[in-house]
Amino acid sequence: MKTYCPTFWSRDSGVDHSASVICLNDILPTVGQNTFAYFDNNDCLLAGETILLIWCPPVSDLNGWSEQPSEIALSHLLKANVVAVAQASEPSAAAIHPAHYGKRKYELDILSCERFLTVLRALQEDPTSRHLQGIGSAQGNFLMWDEVNWCGSAAVDGFTYLTANTLNEAHMELILEEVDDDIIGLFSVHIDPGGTFYEFGRKRLTGQELRVIKHALDIARPLCDSQADYLVACSK
């Protein structure tokens, strides 16, 4: 089942996203109901297929987890059925947000919704998981994490969030568990001009993978939230 992270979620709920306090349940997609989301044009979803979706709260949805790492704990993994495929959004007076222009809008039936970190805690050992992308060169094979020119990290609810960029236009993210001298990969994102790739799976890092991630953790700058808390738990 393929994983996606929509570019934008529909704001048709009427919630004021600029308010100083927002109820999490008011903006979280509801199981059993349909909603809409906007995707990059490179994401080719088909009506009738079932997919996994990463839902992030407003600040990290717009700017990424690196700008509001605490929102990893409030992010969710959804399972959804693609109900209908819409055309690319055109500029109009009725458009909710100018950033939606040119994006593809899909209607989604939400089948399940679970806290993202709860999903990671339940992952089983999977030595076949490939959290670290490798590339080949005339000098041999190496890992993209060997090429980082910036990286940052944050502790979130017992996990470590690690993110990095390279000079070759690659962006990478990892969610890890650190147990004594062991580092266990649970989730990874790799973005480069060729696309966006997500990987789930509990894998204990060894050898070259362990070396490069330990080095990245050593040089990573601490990340902290760019905005004050604004989400509260409340019932619908």
Side-chain angles (χ1 to χ4, degrees), residues 2 19 36 43 53 56 61 68 75-77 96-97 99 101 159 165 167 170 183 194 197 199-200 210:
K2 193 164 184 182
F36 292 91
D43 293 333
L53 298 167
C56 302
D61 184 40
Q68 198 81 358
S75 297
H76 286 67
L77 186 68
I96 298 174
H97 196 291
Y101 300 161
F159 297 88
N165 297 326
L167 292 175
I183 298 178
F197 308 92
E199 182 81 20
F200 290 89
L210 180 62

Short mmCIF file of all heavy atoms in Angstrom, two decimals, residues 2 19 36 43 53 56 61 68 75-77 96-97 99 101 159 165 167 170 183 194 197 199-200 210:
data_model
loop_
_atom_site.label_atom_id
_atom_site.label_comp_id
_atom_site.label_asym_id
_atom_site.label_seq_id
_atom_site.Cartn_x
_atom_site.Cartn_y
_atom_site.Cartn_z
N LYS A 2 0.67 2.13 -0.94
CA LYS A 2 1.55 3.28 -1.09
C LYS A 2 1.21 4.38 -0.09
O LYS A 2 0.05 4.57 0.28
CB LYS A 2 1.47 3.83 -2.51
CG LYS A 2 2.58 4.82 -2.83
CD LYS A 2 2.72 5.07 -4.31
CE LYS A 2 3.90 6.00 -4.58
NZ LYS A 2 4.06 6.30 -6.01
N ALA A 19 -6.67 31.07 14.33
CA ALA A 19 -7.03 31.28 15.73
C ALA A 19 -5.86 30.92 16.64
O ALA A 19 -5.01 30.09 16.30
CB ALA A 19 -8.26 30.45 16.09
N PHE A 36 -11.44 16.08 1.40
CA PHE A 36 -10.67 16.36 0.19
C PHE A 36 -9.24 16.72 0.57
O PHE A 36 -8.98 17.26 1.65
CB PHE A 36 -11.29 17.53 -0.59
CG PHE A 36 -12.63 17.23 -1.19
CD1 PHE A 36 -13.79 17.47 -0.48
CD2 PHE A 36 -12.72 16.68 -2.46
CE1 PHE A 36 -15.03 17.19 -1.02
CE2 PHE A 36 -13.96 16.40 -3.01
CZ PHE A 36 -15.12 16.65 -2.29
N ASP A 43 1.94 12.98 -8.06
CA ASP A 43 1.25 11.91 -7.35
C ASP A 43 0.05 11.46 -8.18
O ASP A 43 -0.92 12.21 -8.33
CB ASP A 43 0.78 12.38 -5.97
CG ASP A 43 1.94 12.68 -5.04
OD1 ASP A 43 3.00 12.07 -5.21
OD2 ASP A 43 1.77 13.53 -4.13
N LEU A 53 -2.01 7.74 4.25
CA LEU A 53 -1.80 9.19 4.21
C LEU A 53 -1.23 9.67 5.53
O LEU A 53 -1.71 9.28 6.60
CB LEU A 53 -3.12 9.92 3.95
CG LEU A 53 -3.82 9.62 2.62
CD1 LEU A 53 -5.24 10.16 2.64
CD2 LEU A 53 -3.04 10.24 1.47
N CYS A 56 -0.59 15.85 9.11
CA CYS A 56 0.16 16.66 10.07
C CYS A 56 -0.68 17.87 10.48
O CYS A 56 -1.45 18.41 9.67
CB CYS A 56 1.46 17.16 9.45
SG CYS A 56 2.56 15.86 8.85
N ASP A 61 2.21 20.88 8.70
CA ASP A 61 1.64 20.61 7.38
C ASP A 61 2.15 21.63 6.37
O ASP A 61 2.44 21.30 5.22
CB ASP A 61 0.11 20.65 7.46
CG ASP A 61 -0.56 20.28 6.14
OD1 ASP A 61 -0.08 19.34 5.47
OD2 ASP A 61 -1.55 20.93 5.79
N GLN A 68 8.28 22.46 13.58
CA GLN A 68 7.41 22.25 14.74
C GLN A 68 7.50 20.77 15.13
O GLN A 68 6.54 20.01 15.03
CB GLN A 68 5.96 22.63 14.40
CG GLN A 68 5.05 22.88 15.59
CD GLN A 68 5.22 24.26 16.20
OE1 GLN A 68 6.04 25.05 15.76
NE2 GLN A 68 4.43 24.56 17.22
N SER A 75 0.71 14.05 14.87
CA SER A 75 0.45 13.61 13.50
C SER A 75 -0.22 12.24 13.53
O SER A 75 -0.12 11.50 14.51
CB SER A 75 1.76 13.55 12.71
OG SER A 75 2.35 14.83 12.60
N HIS A 76 -0.91 11.92 12.44
CA HIS A 76 -1.66 10.66 12.35
C HIS A 76 -1.38 9.97 11.02
O HIS A 76 -1.02 10.62 10.03
CB HIS A 76 -3.16 10.93 12.47
CG HIS A 76 -3.61 11.28 13.85
ND1 HIS A 76 -3.25 12.45 14.49
CD2 HIS A 76 -4.40 10.60 14.74
CE1 HIS A 76 -3.80 12.48 15.70
NE2 HIS A 76 -4.49 11.37 15.87
N LEU A 77 -1.56 8.65 11.03
CA LEU A 77 -1.49 7.87 9.79
C LEU A 77 -2.91 7.42 9.47
O LEU A 77 -3.57 6.76 10.28
CB LEU A 77 -0.57 6.67 9.96
CG LEU A 77 -0.33 5.87 8.67
CD1 LEU A 77 0.47 6.68 7.66
CD2 LEU A 77 0.40 4.56 8.97
N ILE A 96 -9.97 28.50 -2.05
CA ILE A 96 -9.75 28.73 -0.63
C ILE A 96 -8.38 29.33 -0.38
O ILE A 96 -8.20 30.20 0.46
CB ILE A 96 -9.92 27.42 0.15
CG1 ILE A 96 -11.34 26.88 -0.02
CG2 ILE A 96 -9.59 27.60 1.62
CD1 ILE A 96 -11.56 25.52 0.59
N HIS A 97 -7.39 28.86 -1.09
CA HIS A 97 -6.02 29.26 -0.84
C HIS A 97 -5.28 29.30 -2.17
O HIS A 97 -5.36 28.35 -2.95
CB HIS A 97 -5.36 28.27 0.12
CG HIS A 97 -4.09 28.77 0.73
ND1 HIS A 97 -2.94 28.96 0.00
CD2 HIS A 97 -3.80 29.14 2.01
CE1 HIS A 97 -1.98 29.41 0.80
NE2 HIS A 97 -2.48 29.52 2.02
N ALA A 99 -2.34 28.74 -2.84
CA ALA A 99 -1.37 27.65 -2.96
C ALA A 99 -1.98 26.39 -3.56
O ALA A 99 -1.27 25.47 -3.96
CB ALA A 99 -0.76 27.34 -1.60
N TYR A 101 -3.65 26.32 -6.31
CA TYR A 101 -3.66 26.43 -7.76
C TYR A 101 -2.69 25.44 -8.38
O TYR A 101 -1.53 25.33 -7.98
CB TYR A 101 -3.27 27.84 -8.21
CG TYR A 101 -4.17 28.95 -7.70
CD1 TYR A 101 -3.73 30.27 -7.69
CD2 TYR A 101 -5.46 28.68 -7.23
CE1 TYR A 101 -4.54 31.29 -7.23
CE2 TYR A 101 -6.27 29.69 -6.76
CZ TYR A 101 -5.81 31.00 -6.76
OH TYR A 101 -6.61 32.01 -6.29
N PHE A 159 11.26 9.28 21.04
CA PHE A 159 11.86 9.03 19.73
C PHE A 159 12.83 10.16 19.38
O PHE A 159 12.79 11.23 19.99
CB PHE A 159 10.79 8.95 18.64
CG PHE A 159 9.82 7.81 18.82
CD1 PHE A 159 8.67 7.96 19.58
CD2 PHE A 159 10.05 6.58 18.22
CE1 PHE A 159 7.77 6.92 19.74
CE2 PHE A 159 9.16 5.53 18.38
CZ PHE A 159 8.02 5.70 19.14
N ASN A 165 19.73 17.84 4.78
CA ASN A 165 19.76 18.22 3.37
C ASN A 165 21.14 17.94 2.81
O ASN A 165 22.13 17.91 3.55
CB ASN A 165 19.45 19.71 3.20
CG ASN A 165 18.06 20.08 3.66
OD1 ASN A 165 17.12 19.30 3.52
ND2 ASN A 165 17.92 21.27 4.23
N LEU A 167 23.84 18.81 -0.78
CA LEU A 167 24.07 19.74 -1.88
C LEU A 167 23.47 19.23 -3.18
O LEU A 167 23.32 19.99 -4.14
CB LEU A 167 25.57 19.98 -2.05
CG LEU A 167 26.27 20.73 -0.91
CD1 LEU A 167 27.77 20.78 -1.15
CD2 LEU A 167 25.71 22.14 -0.76
N ALA A 170 18.83 16.68 -2.19
CA ALA A 170 18.12 15.62 -1.48
C ALA A 170 17.75 16.12 -0.08
O ALA A 170 18.52 16.83 0.57
CB ALA A 170 18.97 14.37 -1.37
N ILE A 183 20.85 1.98 17.55
CA ILE A 183 19.96 2.93 16.88
C ILE A 183 19.04 2.13 15.97
O ILE A 183 19.50 1.33 15.14
CB ILE A 183 20.75 3.96 16.06
CG1 ILE A 183 21.65 4.80 16.98
CG2 ILE A 183 19.81 4.87 15.27
CD1 ILE A 183 22.51 5.81 16.24
N GLY A 194 13.89 12.94 -8.21
CA GLY A 194 13.24 11.74 -8.74
C GLY A 194 11.93 11.39 -8.06
O GLY A 194 11.20 10.51 -8.53
N PHE A 197 9.90 9.30 -1.32
CA PHE A 197 9.84 7.89 -0.95
C PHE A 197 9.71 7.77 0.57
O PHE A 197 10.47 8.39 1.32
CB PHE A 197 11.10 7.17 -1.43
CG PHE A 197 11.40 7.38 -2.89
CD1 PHE A 197 12.23 8.42 -3.29
CD2 PHE A 197 10.81 6.58 -3.85
CE1 PHE A 197 12.49 8.65 -4.63
CE2 PHE A 197 11.07 6.80 -5.20
CZ PHE A 197 11.91 7.83 -5.60
N GLU A 199 9.27 5.01 3.93
CA GLU A 199 9.57 3.63 4.33
C GLU A 199 9.23 3.45 5.81
O GLU A 199 9.66 4.24 6.67
CB GLU A 199 11.05 3.33 4.11
CG GLU A 199 11.47 1.92 4.45
CD GLU A 199 11.15 0.91 3.35
OE1 GLU A 199 10.95 1.34 2.19
OE2 GLU A 199 11.10 -0.29 3.66
N PHE A 200 8.43 2.42 6.11
CA PHE A 200 8.14 2.02 7.48
C PHE A 200 8.83 0.68 7.74
O PHE A 200 8.93 -0.16 6.86
CB PHE A 200 6.63 1.83 7.68
CG PHE A 200 5.82 3.09 7.67
CD1 PHE A 200 5.32 3.60 6.47
CD2 PHE A 200 5.55 3.77 8.84
CE1 PHE A 200 4.55 4.75 6.46
CE2 PHE A 200 4.78 4.92 8.84
CZ PHE A 200 4.29 5.42 7.64
N LEU A 210 24.90 2.58 10.54
CA LEU A 210 25.04 3.02 11.93
C LEU A 210 26.08 4.14 12.02
O LEU A 210 25.87 5.13 12.73
CB LEU A 210 25.45 1.83 12.81
CG LEU A 210 25.64 2.13 14.29
CD1 LEU A 210 24.35 2.62 14.92
CD2 LEU A 210 26.14 0.87 15.02
#
